[in-house]
Amino acid sequence: MANMMQQLRLLEEFVKVCESNPQMLHRPELKFFRDYIVSLGGQIPEVAKQEEEKVDDSKLDESESEESNTEEANPPPPPQPPVEESEESDLDIEAEGVIEGDNDEPQPMGDDSKEVTDEMMDEASEKRQNANIALADGNIEEGINLYTEAIVLNPHSAPLFAKRAGAYIKAKKPNAAIRDCDKAIQLNPDSAQAFKWRGIAYRMLGAWDKSATDLRLSVKIDFSEDAQEVLNYVQPRAKRIQEHQRKIERRKMEKELRDRKERVRLAQEAQEKARKEEEERMKQQKEAGAGGFPGAGAFPGAGAGGFPGAGAFPGAGAGGFPGAGAFPGAGASGFPGAGAGGFPGAGAGGFPGAGAGGFPGAGAGAGGQMPDISAMLNDPEVMAAFQDPEIMAAFQDVSMNPQNVTKYQNNAKVMNVINKLASKYGKH
C-alpha cells in the first residue's frame, strides 16, 4: 500500500511537470502516454518551433529510488542545500506600453433578467451605430455612454459588450475592458472580438501570459491582423514568464525531494538509535540475570556451582554449608554467649541447639542435617537482606575473619539477619 501511494505521488509530480511544460510530451519515450491521452479524447499540443526544454529526469529517478534508500543501514550524510535564488533575479521583462490599471467604479451591465422586446433591440442597435460614429470622430466618452445606453436596452448582446470593451481600450481603461469582455464571453464563448480586446487589455497591464492565451484564442476563432500583431509582441515575453514559472516549479520540486530525503534520513537515525538502545537494554538485563542468586559466583564468596559448595557461604568450609566452624563465630572466639567457637546457645563449634560441631538437632560429631536451602531462597526477607550493601559488606568481613563478628553485635540490621538465618537452621 505504501509503495502504491509513493507511485501515485510520483505520477502527480509527473503530471505537474507535463502541465508546466507540455512540450515534453513529444519525447519518444513518452509515446505510450501520448497514445493513452489521445485514446481518452485528449489533445497533444503542437511541437513548438523553439528547442524543447529538457526536464531534469534525474529528479524523478531520485524519487523512485527513495524507498530503497530508506532500507540502507547507514544512509549517506545529507547533501548541503543549495543557496536559494531570488525568484525574480533572472526575470527582467521590458515594460514598454504597460500602464497602471484603472480603478473606476464598475460600469453598468444591464439587467440580465430583463425581457428584451423588438423595439428595444432596434433602439439599442441605433445607439450602437451612433456610438460607432462618435468613436470615429474621436469622442471616446460619448461613444462609451452610447454603448452603455444600448447595453441597458439589450443586456443579452455579446457584441455590445465587446464594442464597449474596445472603447475602454481607447480610453486606456483596461480593467473596465476586461469586465466587459468577461461578460461578452459569458454570453458567447466563441466571441473572437472579446478575446482580442481582453488580450490587449492584459497586454496593457503587463499580464503577458494571460494576454498571449486570449490572443491565440482570438486568432484561432477568427483571424485578424491587429490581434496577430499584438500576439507577436506578447508571445516572446509570455514564453519567458512560462519558462521562469517552470524554473520556480522545478526548484520547488527539488526542495520537496530534499526535504523528503532529509525526513527519511532523520527517521533512519531515530530507528538506529532506538535499536542500539534496545540492544543495550537487553544486554544489561542479560548481565543482571547472569549475576543472579544460584550459579557460578552468584553469591558473595561463592565458588563455582552456585550457593552450596566450596566456599559457598561467607566463611563456609570447602564443599558445604555452614557447619563446624563454618558460620561467623564458629571455632574459637565465637559469638557472645556461645560455647567454644559456636553460635549463641550452641554446643562447641555448632549452631543453636546443635551438638558439638553439628547442625541444629544433630548429635555430637554427627555433622548434623543439611538445612532446606530452598526455604532460605524463597524467603523474601533473606533475599532482600542480601541486596543490602551494608549487610553484604558485614558478611564478607566476617567471612574473611570470623572473629570480626563481634564488631556487629550492636548493629541491629546485621544481627536481625543473623538471627533470621539462625531461626531457619533451628527449624531443622
Side-chain angles (χ1 to χ4, degrees):
M1 185 64 180
N3 188 35
M4 180 181 295
M5 293 304 296
Q6 172 130 2
Q7 291 177 352
L8 289 175
R9 287 194 296 269
L10 290 175
L11 178 59
E12 182 181 4
E13 292 172 359
F14 172 72
V15 171
K16 288 181 180 178
V17 172
C18 292
E19 289 176 346
S20 62
N21 182 19
Q23 296 300 317
M24 73 174 294
L25 291 173
H26 292 281
R27 290 187 173 186
E29 59 268 26
L30 293 179
K31 181 179 182 302
F32 75 96
F33 192 56
R34 293 197 302 273
D35 295 341
Y36 177 68
I37 293 176
V38 172
S39 69
L40 296 178
Q43 294 181 351
I44 306 299
E46 297 287 336
V47 179
K49 294 182 181 179
Q50 291 80 2
E51 182 181 357
E52 293 181 7
E53 181 178 356
K54 295 184 179 179
V55 178
D56 191 356
D57 295 329
S58 62
K59 301 306 174 184
L60 297 178
D61 294 337
E62 289 179 10
S63 179
E64 292 173 356
S65 61
E66 177 186 324
E67 184 176 359
S68 61
N69 291 339
T70 61
E71 299 174 357
E72 296 180 4
N74 297 312
Q80 294 295 326
V83 178
E84 296 291 340
E85 301 179 10
S86 171
E87 294 183 356
E88 302 297 331
S89 60
D90 56 353
L91 182 64
D92 184 16
I93 297 179
E94 180 184 359
E96 181 182 355
V98 176
I99 65 174
E100 186 176 354
D102 50 297
N103 297 313
D104 297 343
E105 290 290 327
Q107 62 270 33
M109 294 291 185
D111 184 3
D112 287 339
S113 62
K114 184 177 182 180
E115 183 177 355
V116 180
T117 64
D118 292 339
E119 292 77 5
M120 295 169 65
M121 293 179 64
D122 292 341
E123 186 178 353
S125 178
E126 182 180 350
K127 290 185 178 294
R128 172 183 170 178
Q129 292 175 359
N130 293 334
N132 292 338
I133 295 173
L135 287 176
D137 294 340
N139 298 322
I140 299 175
E141 287 299 325
E142 181 183 352
I144 291 174
N145 292 333
L146 288 170
Y147 281 132
T148 300
E149 292 175 5
I151 287 172
V152 171
L153 290 168
N154 183 11
H156 305 304
S157 173
L160 285 176
F161 285 101
K163 285 288 186 179
R164 189 172 68 173
Y168 277 127
I169 293 296
K170 293 180 181 292
K172 298 188 182 303
K173 293 183 178 183
N175 286 328
I178 291 172
R179 287 192 290 269
D180 273 353
C181 290
D182 290 343
K183 184 65 177 180
I185 293 171
Q186 178 185 345
L187 295 171
N188 179 15
D190 294 326
S191 175
Q193 287 292 310
F195 282 116
K196 181 185 78 171
W197 292 124
R198 193 170 71 174
I200 294 174
Y202 280 134
R203 179 256 180 271
M204 294 172 68
L205 294 173
W208 308 108
D209 51 343
K210 292 182 178 180
S211 175
T213 299
D214 280 350
L215 291 170
R216 279 194 293 265
L217 282 172
S218 176
V219 297
K220 183 178 180 181
I221 296 171
D222 185 11
F223 180 81
S224 65
E225 291 185 357
D226 55 344
Q228 183 64 51
E229 182 180 354
V230 179
L231 177 60
N232 293 339
Y233 179 84
V234 166
Q235 195 156 251
R237 291 159 177 79
K239 180 174 175 57
R240 290 185 59 187
I241 292 176
Q242 292 168 358
E243 291 174 348
H244 180 68
Q245 187 62 35
R246 286 195 293 269
K247 185 175 182 180
I248 293 174
E249 290 298 324
R250 285 197 300 271
R251 288 176 182 171
K252 181 180 178 182
M253 186 170 67
E254 290 170 358
K255 183 178 184 303
E256 290 176 353
L257 290 171
R258 288 197 305 270
D259 292 345
R260 190 182 306 169
K261 292 180 70 174
E262 178 65 10
R263 290 194 296 271
V264 170
R265 185 186 68 82
L266 293 175
Q268 289 176 336
E269 289 182 354
Q271 291 174 357
E272 181 66 14
K273 181 179 179 182
R275 184 185 66 79
K276 290 182 178 180
E277 289 177 351
E278 179 65 15
E279 288 180 353
E280 183 64 22
R281 186 182 67 82
M282 295 298 294
K283 181 180 178 182
Q284 292 176 357
Q285 286 185 352
K286 185 176 180 180
E287 290 176 351
F293 207 85
F299 211 87
F307 203 93
F313 210 84
F321 211 77
F327 212 84
S333 302
F335 267 95
F343 235 92
F351 277 90
F359 280 95
Q369 181 184 0
M370 177 64 72
D372 187 355
I373 296 174
S374 63
M376 285 184 58
L377 297 179
N378 291 327
D379 190 311
E381 294 183 14
V382 173
M383 296 302 297
F386 281 110
Q387 299 298 321
D388 190 322
E390 181 181 359
I391 293 177
M392 296 307 302
F395 272 76
Q396 288 175 356
D397 182 28
V398 175
S399 70
M400 298 297 295
N401 185 0
Q403 294 183 3
N404 289 342
V405 73
T406 58
K407 295 192 302 185
Y408 302 101
Q409 59 183 339
N410 293 324
N411 188 323
K413 183 189 295 186
V414 175
M415 293 306 295
N416 284 339
V417 177
I418 292 174
N419 291 333
K420 180 73 175 179
L421 291 174
S423 68
K424 291 288 183 183
Y425 288 119
K427 294 178 181 180
H428 295 274

